[in-house]
Amino acid sequence: MKFLYLYITFMSLIIFSCTLEKKDFDNPVDFEANDERGIGAPTIVFYPLTQTRTLQDSVEIGSYIVFKEDSIKAFSGVHLQIHFPNDLLDLDTILPGLLMTDTNQSTPLFNYLYDEENSIVDIYAYFLDTVKQSLEATGHIANIKFKSNSTGSDSIHYNISECEVINFDDNLIQLNGQRSAEIIIE
């Protein structure tokens, strides 16, 4: 009987002492999670949503375009205007993402302009392929790497009024939202 009492006590301690952590998953191409935040597709998002770095660390942000699976539109080009806090970050490198790479695995037509005074980056990416004219997918447009220059927190965001997605015939595809990214430098 004493053994049963100890067993019940021990099992009660195990069961009632456990706490479940709420996991906050961050998937940049999850249109359902974006819908829950009030960001309708097609949308442009940064990944990760939040990151904390030290002053010596670099900060890397991915830029993504997200369509709903039942309303994907064919597109061939993207212009993204990105604003970042230059009192917190210095632009280091911008590289093309995986989505716009053609079937021959070559680099797409990819260029950017940097307005250092206003801390604005304009990214231009165009899908060029010998087999097809456009993409019908959700995915990674660019990687942007920064060097931290001071401590603090701020956001990197798209200037949605200047961002454009176009199809092969140069017609605009309306963007319905954007998701910024928070950067914390300690």
Side-chain angles (χ1 to χ4, degrees):
M1 189 69 165
K2 187 176 180 179
F3 177 74
L4 182 61
Y5 176 72
L6 286 173
Y7 179 75
I8 292 172
T9 304
F10 179 71
M11 292 306 289
S12 297
L13 285 173
I14 290 175
I15 291 171
F16 295 112
S17 67
C18 295
T19 58
L20 296 176
E21 298 285 328
K22 182 182 182 294
K23 296 286 185 186
D24 187 21
F25 296 107
D26 182 23
N27 179 354
V29 295
D30 184 357
F31 64 87
E32 289 176 3
N34 290 333
D35 276 346
E36 290 173 5
R37 292 184 172 111
I39 306 168
T43 187
I44 45 180
V45 301
F46 285 117
Y47 175 80
L49 180 60
T50 303
Q51 59 182 301
T52 302
R53 299 283 185 251
T54 65
L55 196 53
Q56 295 80 23
D57 293 337
S58 62
V59 175
E60 190 166 336
I61 293 280
S63 177
Y64 292 79
I65 185 166
V66 181
F67 291 95
K68 280 189 174 180
E69 59 191 15
D70 61 346
S71 62
I72 291 178
K73 298 186 179 180
F75 71 98
S76 297
V78 176
H79 167 225
L80 303 175
Q81 188 174 82
I82 298 165
H83 185 269
F84 66 93
N86 63 357
D87 59 332
L88 192 65
L89 301 169
D90 291 323
L91 182 64
D92 185 14
T93 309
I94 300 177
L95 298 170
L98 299 174
L99 180 63
M100 308 270 307
T101 303
D102 72 12
T103 55
N104 296 323
Q105 301 300 311
S106 62
T107 303
L109 179 57
F110 186 86
N111 196 8
Y112 68 91
L113 301 172
Y114 175 39
D115 178 353
E116 188 172 355
E117 184 177 326
N118 296 308
S119 60
I120 293 174
V121 176
D122 286 286
I123 296 175
Y124 301 89
Y126 299 96
F127 178 71
L128 301 173
D129 190 87
T130 57
V131 178
K132 58 185 181 175
Q133 296 177 343
S134 56
L135 293 169
E136 292 184 29
T138 288
H140 185 214
I141 301 294
N143 263 348
I144 309 158
K145 194 171 186 177
F146 299 94
K147 293 179 185 175
S148 54
N149 60 27
S150 67
T151 58
S153 67
D154 210 331
S155 293
I156 298 173
H157 62 272
Y158 296 100
N159 181 357
I160 192 88
S161 64
E162 296 295 322
C163 295
E164 296 178 331
V165 177
I166 59 170
N167 66 14
F168 182 74
D169 295 326
D170 206 24
N171 296 316
L172 287 176
I173 297 170
Q174 180 180 344
L175 290 168
N176 292 325
Q178 64 103 10
R179 184 182 88 169
S180 301
E182 182 183 16
I183 307 299
I184 303 164
I185 307 296
E186 299 177 333

